[in-house]
Amino acid sequence: MNITKTLEDGILTVLLDGKLDTGTTPQVTEEIESIIENADSLVLDMKDLKYLSSAGLRLLLSLHKRMAQKGGMVVKNVNETNMEILELTGFADILNIE
């Protein structure tokens, strides 16, 4: 999993490249936790995310709840396969997806 983080004007943008599963979710969580306190809002860019497991979904929900108390969270560039997962699990109704 490759993670690219940028924090600009209070907006933390995280580009995920690889698979968000049981093996990589702890790394992604640690990377985001190291900087999220400084962010007013969060953008998760999933254009290069190839796989999303239940562990990844739990992370998305946790981040969504945390950022709801601030400026919110946006998930963008979700591929067809991952969008299907988000729709089937009901996450598409909860998350702000662009």
Side-chain angles (χ1 to χ4, degrees), residues 28-68:
V28 174
T29 302
E30 185 177 311
E31 290 275 341
I32 293 174
E33 289 292 330
S34 71
I35 194 170
I36 200 168
E37 289 300 322
N38 301 320
D40 298 320
S41 62
L42 174 64
V43 175
L44 289 178
D45 191 334
M46 296 187 169
K47 73 176 184 172
D48 295 320
L49 187 68
K50 292 150 189 69
Y51 178 76
L52 179 61
S53 76
S54 60
L57 290 172
R58 282 191 298 277
L59 175 60
L60 291 180
L61 186 59
S62 172
L63 291 171
H64 169 76
K65 287 180 178 179
R66 184 169 185 177
M67 295 312 294

mmCIF file of all heavy atoms in Angstrom, residues 28-68:
data_model
loop_
_atom_site.group_PDB
_atom_site.id
_atom_site.type_symbol
_atom_site.label_atom_id
_atom_site.label_comp_id
_atom_site.label_asym_id
_atom_site.label_seq_id
_atom_site.Cartn_x
_atom_site.Cartn_y
_atom_site.Cartn_z
ATOM 1 N N VAL A 28 -2.330 2.227 7.128
ATOM 2 C CA VAL A 28 -3.074 3.395 6.670
ATOM 3 C C VAL A 28 -3.594 4.184 7.870
ATOM 4 O O VAL A 28 -3.495 5.413 7.909
ATOM 5 C CB VAL A 28 -4.232 2.976 5.731
ATOM 6 C CG1 VAL A 28 -5.088 4.177 5.369
ATOM 7 C CG2 VAL A 28 -3.685 2.307 4.478
ATOM 8 N N THR A 29 -4.119 3.480 8.859
ATOM 9 C CA THR A 29 -4.619 4.131 10.071
ATOM 10 C C THR A 29 -3.508 4.930 10.745
ATOM 11 O O THR A 29 -3.705 6.100 11.112
ATOM 12 C CB THR A 29 -5.187 3.083 11.051
ATOM 13 O OG1 THR A 29 -6.228 2.364 10.400
ATOM 14 C CG2 THR A 29 -5.718 3.743 12.309
ATOM 15 N N GLU A 30 -2.361 4.326 10.895
ATOM 16 C CA GLU A 30 -1.223 4.989 11.527
ATOM 17 C C GLU A 30 -0.791 6.231 10.744
ATOM 18 O O GLU A 30 -0.530 7.289 11.326
ATOM 19 C CB GLU A 30 -0.050 4.009 11.639
ATOM 20 C CG GLU A 30 1.131 4.558 12.396
ATOM 21 C CD GLU A 30 2.240 3.528 12.535
ATOM 22 O OE1 GLU A 30 1.952 2.384 12.928
ATOM 23 O OE2 GLU A 30 3.396 3.887 12.244
ATOM 24 N N GLU A 31 -0.734 6.103 9.431
ATOM 25 C CA GLU A 31 -0.329 7.234 8.578
ATOM 26 C C GLU A 31 -1.309 8.402 8.715
ATOM 27 O O GLU A 31 -0.905 9.553 8.819
ATOM 28 C CB GLU A 31 -0.259 6.794 7.116
ATOM 29 C CG GLU A 31 0.872 5.860 6.804
ATOM 30 C CD GLU A 31 2.168 6.579 6.502
ATOM 31 O OE1 GLU A 31 2.143 7.780 6.180
ATOM 32 O OE2 GLU A 31 3.211 5.914 6.595
ATOM 33 N N ILE A 32 -2.599 8.094 8.701
ATOM 34 C CA ILE A 32 -3.611 9.148 8.794
ATOM 35 C C ILE A 32 -3.646 9.745 10.200
ATOM 36 O O ILE A 32 -3.735 10.962 10.363
ATOM 37 C CB ILE A 32 -4.994 8.621 8.364
ATOM 38 C CG1 ILE A 32 -4.978 8.292 6.858
ATOM 39 C CG2 ILE A 32 -6.088 9.636 8.673
ATOM 40 C CD1 ILE A 32 -6.224 7.624 6.341
ATOM 41 N N GLU A 33 -3.556 8.893 11.219
ATOM 42 C CA GLU A 33 -3.582 9.364 12.607
ATOM 43 C C GLU A 33 -2.433 10.322 12.906
ATOM 44 O O GLU A 33 -2.560 11.198 13.759
ATOM 45 C CB GLU A 33 -3.536 8.185 13.579
ATOM 46 C CG GLU A 33 -4.807 7.367 13.634
ATOM 47 C CD GLU A 33 -5.977 8.104 14.250
ATOM 48 O OE1 GLU A 33 -5.769 8.978 15.113
ATOM 49 O OE2 GLU A 33 -7.107 7.822 13.835
ATOM 50 N N SER A 34 -1.308 10.154 12.205
ATOM 51 C CA SER A 34 -0.146 10.997 12.468
ATOM 52 C C SER A 34 -0.362 12.454 12.083
ATOM 53 O O SER A 34 0.379 13.321 12.520
ATOM 54 C CB SER A 34 1.082 10.444 11.734
ATOM 55 O OG SER A 34 0.966 10.646 10.332
ATOM 56 N N ILE A 35 -1.399 12.731 11.294
ATOM 57 C CA ILE A 35 -1.578 14.101 10.801
ATOM 58 C C ILE A 35 -3.018 14.607 10.897
ATOM 59 O O ILE A 35 -3.263 15.794 10.776
ATOM 60 C CB ILE A 35 -1.068 14.194 9.335
ATOM 61 C CG1 ILE A 35 -0.902 15.646 8.909
ATOM 62 C CG2 ILE A 35 -1.969 13.423 8.398
ATOM 63 C CD1 ILE A 35 -0.179 15.822 7.592
ATOM 64 N N ILE A 36 -3.971 13.745 11.169
ATOM 65 C CA ILE A 36 -5.394 14.128 11.087
ATOM 66 C C ILE A 36 -5.790 15.202 12.097
ATOM 67 O O ILE A 36 -6.719 15.973 11.843
ATOM 68 C CB ILE A 36 -6.306 12.888 11.192
ATOM 69 C CG1 ILE A 36 -7.682 13.207 10.625
ATOM 70 C CG2 ILE A 36 -6.368 12.384 12.619
ATOM 71 C CD1 ILE A 36 -8.558 12.005 10.412
ATOM 72 N N GLU A 37 -5.102 15.272 13.221
ATOM 73 C CA GLU A 37 -5.438 16.291 14.230
ATOM 74 C C GLU A 37 -5.281 17.707 13.676
ATOM 75 O O GLU A 37 -5.953 18.626 14.128
ATOM 76 C CB GLU A 37 -4.572 16.115 15.480
ATOM 77 C CG GLU A 37 -4.920 14.897 16.285
ATOM 78 C CD GLU A 37 -6.352 14.906 16.800
ATOM 79 O OE1 GLU A 37 -6.851 15.981 17.184
ATOM 80 O OE2 GLU A 37 -6.968 13.834 16.810
ATOM 81 N N ASN A 38 -4.407 17.871 12.703
ATOM 82 C CA ASN A 38 -4.161 19.184 12.114
ATOM 83 C C ASN A 38 -5.125 19.517 10.986
ATOM 84 O O ASN A 38 -5.047 20.599 10.416
ATOM 85 C CB ASN A 38 -2.727 19.253 11.583
ATOM 86 C CG ASN A 38 -1.713 19.011 12.675
ATOM 87 O OD1 ASN A 38 -1.873 19.488 13.790
ATOM 88 N ND2 ASN A 38 -0.666 18.263 12.366
ATOM 89 N N ALA A 39 -6.014 18.590 10.655
ATOM 90 C CA ALA A 39 -6.909 18.776 9.515
ATOM 91 C C ALA A 39 -8.300 19.204 9.954
ATOM 92 O O ALA A 39 -8.817 18.753 10.971
ATOM 93 C CB ALA A 39 -7.005 17.478 8.718
ATOM 94 N N ASP A 40 -8.896 20.093 9.147
ATOM 95 C CA ASP A 40 -10.284 20.492 9.356
ATOM 96 C C ASP A 40 -11.226 19.587 8.576
ATOM 97 O O ASP A 40 -12.377 19.395 8.966
ATOM 98 C CB ASP A 40 -10.496 21.936 8.912
ATOM 99 C CG ASP A 40 -9.654 22.904 9.727
ATOM 100 O OD1 ASP A 40 -9.532 22.708 10.953
ATOM 101 O OD2 ASP A 40 -9.104 23.848 9.138
ATOM 102 N N SER A 41 -10.752 19.065 7.453
ATOM 103 C CA SER A 41 -11.544 18.141 6.646
ATOM 104 C C SER A 41 -10.606 17.135 5.990
ATOM 105 O O SER A 41 -9.394 17.332 5.931
ATOM 106 C CB SER A 41 -12.370 18.892 5.592
ATOM 107 O OG SER A 41 -11.532 19.584 4.702
ATOM 108 N N LEU A 42 -11.213 16.044 5.488
ATOM 109 C CA LEU A 42 -10.449 14.940 4.928
ATOM 110 C C LEU A 42 -10.984 14.568 3.560
ATOM 111 O O LEU A 42 -12.199 14.456 3.384
ATOM 112 C CB LEU A 42 -10.534 13.729 5.871
ATOM 113 C CG LEU A 42 -9.924 12.416 5.410
ATOM 114 C CD1 LEU A 42 -8.408 12.548 5.225
ATOM 115 C CD2 LEU A 42 -10.248 11.301 6.399
ATOM 116 N N VAL A 43 -10.079 14.392 2.613
ATOM 117 C CA VAL A 43 -10.428 13.893 1.281
ATOM 118 C C VAL A 43 -9.668 12.592 1.081
ATOM 119 O O VAL A 43 -8.441 12.572 1.153
ATOM 120 C CB VAL A 43 -10.042 14.899 0.165
ATOM 121 C CG1 VAL A 43 -10.310 14.305 -1.204
ATOM 122 C CG2 VAL A 43 -10.775 16.216 0.356
ATOM 123 N N LEU A 44 -10.405 11.505 0.860
ATOM 124 C CA LEU A 44 -9.789 10.221 0.533
ATOM 125 C C LEU A 44 -9.924 9.999 -0.956
ATOM 126 O O LEU A 44 -11.032 9.882 -1.470
ATOM 127 C CB LEU A 44 -10.474 9.076 1.286
ATOM 128 C CG LEU A 44 -10.229 8.993 2.776
ATOM 129 C CD1 LEU A 44 -11.012 7.826 3.373
ATOM 130 C CD2 LEU A 44 -8.760 8.827 3.079
ATOM 131 N N ASP A 45 -8.810 9.971 -1.651
ATOM 132 C CA ASP A 45 -8.797 9.760 -3.096
ATOM 133 C C ASP A 45 -8.501 8.289 -3.356
ATOM 134 O O ASP A 45 -7.423 7.793 -3.041
ATOM 135 C CB ASP A 45 -7.740 10.651 -3.749
ATOM 136 C CG ASP A 45 -7.842 10.673 -5.256
ATOM 137 O OD1 ASP A 45 -8.342 9.687 -5.845
ATOM 138 O OD2 ASP A 45 -7.411 11.671 -5.857
ATOM 139 N N MET A 46 -9.477 7.591 -3.923
ATOM 140 C CA MET A 46 -9.366 6.147 -4.128
ATOM 141 C C MET A 46 -9.133 5.764 -5.582
ATOM 142 O O MET A 46 -9.421 4.639 -5.967
ATOM 143 C CB MET A 46 -10.624 5.459 -3.609
ATOM 144 C CG MET A 46 -10.831 5.611 -2.135
ATOM 145 S SD MET A 46 -12.220 4.600 -1.625
ATOM 146 C CE MET A 46 -12.051 4.673 0.125
ATOM 147 N N LYS A 47 -8.621 6.693 -6.377
ATOM 148 C CA LYS A 47 -8.473 6.393 -7.800
ATOM 149 C C LYS A 47 -7.540 5.223 -8.062
ATOM 150 O O LYS A 47 -7.697 4.508 -9.042
ATOM 151 C CB LYS A 47 -8.030 7.622 -8.589
ATOM 152 C CG LYS A 47 -6.596 8.030 -8.386
ATOM 153 C CD LYS A 47 -6.225 9.191 -9.281
ATOM 154 C CE LYS A 47 -4.757 9.513 -9.122
ATOM 155 N NZ LYS A 47 -4.316 10.478 -10.090
ATOM 156 N N ASP A 48 -6.581 4.975 -7.170
ATOM 157 C CA ASP A 48 -5.643 3.866 -7.353
ATOM 158 C C ASP A 48 -5.862 2.736 -6.348
ATOM 159 O O ASP A 48 -5.016 1.859 -6.216
ATOM 160 C CB ASP A 48 -4.204 4.382 -7.250
ATOM 161 C CG ASP A 48 -3.873 5.350 -8.374
ATOM 162 O OD1 ASP A 48 -4.293 5.115 -9.516
ATOM 163 O OD2 ASP A 48 -3.193 6.358 -8.102
ATOM 164 N N LEU A 49 -7.002 2.772 -5.639
ATOM 165 C CA LEU A 49 -7.317 1.706 -4.685
ATOM 166 C C LEU A 49 -7.928 0.533 -5.442
ATOM 167 O O LEU A 49 -8.977 0.660 -6.065
ATOM 168 C CB LEU A 49 -8.286 2.208 -3.617
ATOM 169 C CG LEU A 49 -8.543 1.233 -2.471
ATOM 170 C CD1 LEU A 49 -7.281 1.058 -1.631
ATOM 171 C CD2 LEU A 49 -9.687 1.710 -1.609
ATOM 172 N N LYS A 50 -7.254 -0.594 -5.382
ATOM 173 C CA LYS A 50 -7.652 -1.755 -6.176
ATOM 174 C C LYS A 50 -8.592 -2.692 -5.445
ATOM 175 O O LYS A 50 -9.310 -3.468 -6.059
ATOM 176 C CB LYS A 50 -6.409 -2.508 -6.640
ATOM 177 C CG LYS A 50 -5.606 -1.699 -7.656
ATOM 178 C CD LYS A 50 -4.117 -2.036 -7.573
ATOM 179 C CE LYS A 50 -3.266 -1.101 -8.402
ATOM 180 N NZ LYS A 50 -3.198 0.253 -7.905
ATOM 181 N N TYR A 51 -8.600 -2.643 -4.111
ATOM 182 C CA TYR A 51 -9.403 -3.586 -3.324
ATOM 183 C C TYR A 51 -9.778 -2.955 -2.003
ATOM 184 O O TYR A 51 -8.965 -2.267 -1.376
ATOM 185 C CB TYR A 51 -8.611 -4.877 -3.091
ATOM 186 C CG TYR A 51 -9.329 -5.886 -2.241
ATOM 187 C CD1 TYR A 51 -10.375 -6.643 -2.762
ATOM 188 C CD2 TYR A 51 -8.967 -6.084 -0.916
ATOM 189 C CE1 TYR A 51 -11.038 -7.571 -1.972
ATOM 190 C CE2 TYR A 51 -9.616 -7.014 -0.121
ATOM 191 C CZ TYR A 51 -10.651 -7.751 -0.658
ATOM 192 O OH TYR A 51 -11.303 -8.659 0.126
ATOM 193 N N LEU A 52 -10.994 -3.213 -1.555
ATOM 194 C CA LEU A 52 -11.501 -2.670 -0.298
ATOM 195 C C LEU A 52 -12.164 -3.800 0.479
ATOM 196 O O LEU A 52 -13.151 -4.374 0.023
ATOM 197 C CB LEU A 52 -12.508 -1.553 -0.585
ATOM 198 C CG LEU A 52 -13.187 -0.860 0.580
ATOM 199 C CD1 LEU A 52 -12.157 -0.179 1.472
ATOM 200 C CD2 LEU A 52 -14.206 0.144 0.075
ATOM 201 N N SER A 53 -11.600 -4.139 1.650
ATOM 202 C CA SER A 53 -12.149 -5.225 2.465
ATOM 203 C C SER A 53 -12.983 -4.656 3.609
ATOM 204 O O SER A 53 -13.102 -3.439 3.775
ATOM 205 C CB SER A 53 -11.013 -6.077 3.039
ATOM 206 O OG SER A 53 -10.392 -5.392 4.111
ATOM 207 N N SER A 54 -13.515 -5.557 4.435
ATOM 208 C CA SER A 54 -14.303 -5.117 5.590
ATOM 209 C C SER A 54 -13.458 -4.311 6.571
ATOM 210 O O SER A 54 -13.955 -3.388 7.208
ATOM 211 C CB SER A 54 -14.939 -6.319 6.291
ATOM 212 O OG SER A 54 -13.946 -7.207 6.739
ATOM 213 N N ALA A 55 -12.177 -4.636 6.676
ATOM 214 C CA ALA A 55 -11.285 -3.849 7.541
ATOM 215 C C ALA A 55 -11.172 -2.423 7.022
ATOM 216 O O ALA A 55 -11.168 -1.464 7.791
ATOM 217 C CB ALA A 55 -9.909 -4.503 7.629
ATOM 218 N N GLY A 56 -11.090 -2.278 5.717
ATOM 219 C CA GLY A 56 -11.052 -0.960 5.095
ATOM 220 C C GLY A 56 -12.349 -0.202 5.312
ATOM 221 O O GLY A 56 -12.348 1.009 5.559
ATOM 222 N N LEU A 57 -13.468 -0.913 5.238
ATOM 223 C CA LEU A 57 -14.765 -0.282 5.480
ATOM 224 C C LEU A 57 -14.862 0.234 6.916
ATOM 225 O O LEU A 57 -15.382 1.326 7.142
ATOM 226 C CB LEU A 57 -15.901 -1.272 5.202
ATOM 227 C CG LEU A 57 -16.119 -1.646 3.739
ATOM 228 C CD1 LEU A 57 -17.130 -2.782 3.629
ATOM 229 C CD2 LEU A 57 -16.568 -0.445 2.922
ATOM 230 N N ARG A 58 -14.347 -0.543 7.862
ATOM 231 C CA ARG A 58 -14.358 -0.094 9.259
ATOM 232 C C ARG A 58 -13.541 1.186 9.420
ATOM 233 O O ARG A 58 -13.936 2.105 10.145
ATOM 234 C CB ARG A 58 -13.816 -1.186 10.182
ATOM 235 C CG ARG A 58 -14.808 -2.281 10.479
ATOM 236 C CD ARG A 58 -14.342 -3.204 11.589
ATOM 237 N NE ARG A 58 -13.114 -3.912 11.266
ATOM 238 C CZ ARG A 58 -13.047 -5.038 10.547
ATOM 239 N NH1 ARG A 58 -14.148 -5.573 10.065
ATOM 240 N NH2 ARG A 58 -11.890 -5.623 10.326
ATOM 241 N N LEU A 59 -12.416 1.261 8.728
ATOM 242 C CA LEU A 59 -11.590 2.468 8.784
ATOM 243 C C LEU A 59 -12.350 3.652 8.189
ATOM 244 O O LEU A 59 -12.347 4.745 8.762
ATOM 245 C CB LEU A 59 -10.271 2.263 8.048
ATOM 246 C CG LEU A 59 -9.376 3.501 7.933
ATOM 247 C CD1 LEU A 59 -8.997 4.043 9.318
ATOM 248 C CD2 LEU A 59 -8.141 3.200 7.120
ATOM 249 N N LEU A 60 -13.008 3.444 7.053
ATOM 250 C CA LEU A 60 -13.784 4.528 6.436
ATOM 251 C C LEU A 60 -14.858 5.045 7.390
ATOM 252 O O LEU A 60 -15.044 6.256 7.530
ATOM 253 C CB LEU A 60 -14.434 4.056 5.139
ATOM 254 C CG LEU A 60 -13.516 3.765 3.964
ATOM 255 C CD1 LEU A 60 -14.337 3.300 2.766
ATOM 256 C CD2 LEU A 60 -12.672 4.963 3.598
ATOM 257 N N LEU A 61 -15.554 4.131 8.050
ATOM 258 C CA LEU A 61 -16.605 4.532 8.983
ATOM 259 C C LEU A 61 -16.025 5.294 10.169
ATOM 260 O O LEU A 61 -16.564 6.324 10.583
ATOM 261 C CB LEU A 61 -17.386 3.309 9.456
ATOM 262 C CG LEU A 61 -18.601 3.593 10.334
ATOM 263 C CD1 LEU A 61 -19.598 4.490 9.606
ATOM 264 C CD2 LEU A 61 -19.251 2.292 10.753
ATOM 265 N N SER A 62 -14.915 4.820 10.687
ATOM 266 C CA SER A 62 -14.259 5.489 11.808
ATOM 267 C C SER A 62 -13.823 6.904 11.424
ATOM 268 O O SER A 62 -14.042 7.865 12.181
ATOM 269 C CB SER A 62 -13.056 4.660 12.253
ATOM 270 O OG SER A 62 -12.292 5.349 13.203
ATOM 271 N N LEU A 63 -13.220 7.038 10.252
ATOM 272 C CA LEU A 63 -12.784 8.357 9.784
ATOM 273 C C LEU A 63 -13.975 9.270 9.534
ATOM 274 O O LEU A 63 -13.935 10.463 9.856
ATOM 275 C CB LEU A 63 -11.938 8.219 8.518
ATOM 276 C CG LEU A 63 -10.570 7.569 8.698
ATOM 277 C CD1 LEU A 63 -9.934 7.298 7.329
ATOM 278 C CD2 LEU A 63 -9.657 8.430 9.557
ATOM 279 N N HIS A 64 -15.037 8.710 8.970
ATOM 280 C CA HIS A 64 -16.248 9.491 8.711
ATOM 281 C C HIS A 64 -16.812 10.054 10.022
ATOM 282 O O HIS A 64 -17.133 11.245 10.108
ATOM 283 C CB HIS A 64 -17.290 8.616 7.999
ATOM 284 C CG HIS A 64 -18.638 9.235 7.928
ATOM 285 N ND1 HIS A 64 -18.933 10.247 7.046
ATOM 286 C CD2 HIS A 64 -19.776 8.994 8.629
ATOM 287 C CE1 HIS A 64 -20.205 10.601 7.207
ATOM 288 N NE2 HIS A 64 -20.725 9.855 8.156
ATOM 289 N N LYS A 65 -16.916 9.215 11.037
ATOM 290 C CA LYS A 65 -17.444 9.657 12.330
ATOM 291 C C LYS A 65 -16.549 10.725 12.958
ATOM 292 O O LYS A 65 -17.035 11.709 13.497
ATOM 293 C CB LYS A 65 -17.573 8.468 13.283
ATOM 294 C CG LYS A 65 -18.714 7.552 12.942
ATOM 295 C CD LYS A 65 -18.789 6.396 13.923
ATOM 296 C CE LYS A 65 -19.950 5.496 13.629
ATOM 297 N NZ LYS A 65 -20.015 4.349 14.564
ATOM 298 N N ARG A 66 -15.260 10.507 12.863
ATOM 299 C CA ARG A 66 -14.308 11.457 13.452
ATOM 300 C C ARG A 66 -14.367 12.809 12.747
ATOM 301 O O ARG A 66 -14.377 13.861 13.392
ATOM 302 C CB ARG A 66 -12.911 10.884 13.364
ATOM 303 C CG ARG A 66 -11.876 11.733 14.024
ATOM 304 C CD ARG A 66 -10.591 10.989 14.134
ATOM 305 N NE ARG A 66 -9.627 11.751 14.876
ATOM 306 C CZ ARG A 66 -8.435 11.324 15.165
ATOM 307 N NH1 ARG A 66 -8.067 10.121 14.810
ATOM 308 N NH2 ARG A 66 -7.601 12.076 15.827
ATOM 309 N N MET A 67 -14.405 12.800 11.427
ATOM 310 C CA MET A 67 -14.387 14.053 10.672
ATOM 311 C C MET A 67 -15.748 14.739 10.657
ATOM 312 O O MET A 67 -15.825 15.930 10.367
ATOM 313 C CB MET A 67 -13.887 13.805 9.252
ATOM 314 C CG MET A 67 -12.432 13.338 9.187
ATOM 315 S SD MET A 67 -11.259 14.317 10.168
ATOM 316 C CE MET A 67 -11.310 15.883 9.313
ATOM 317 N N ALA A 68 -16.810 14.028 10.987
ATOM 318 C CA ALA A 68 -18.137 14.652 11.059
ATOM 319 C C ALA A 68 -18.166 15.729 12.136
ATOM 320 O O ALA A 68 -18.944 16.677 12.052
ATOM 321 C CB ALA A 68 -19.204 13.596 11.331
#
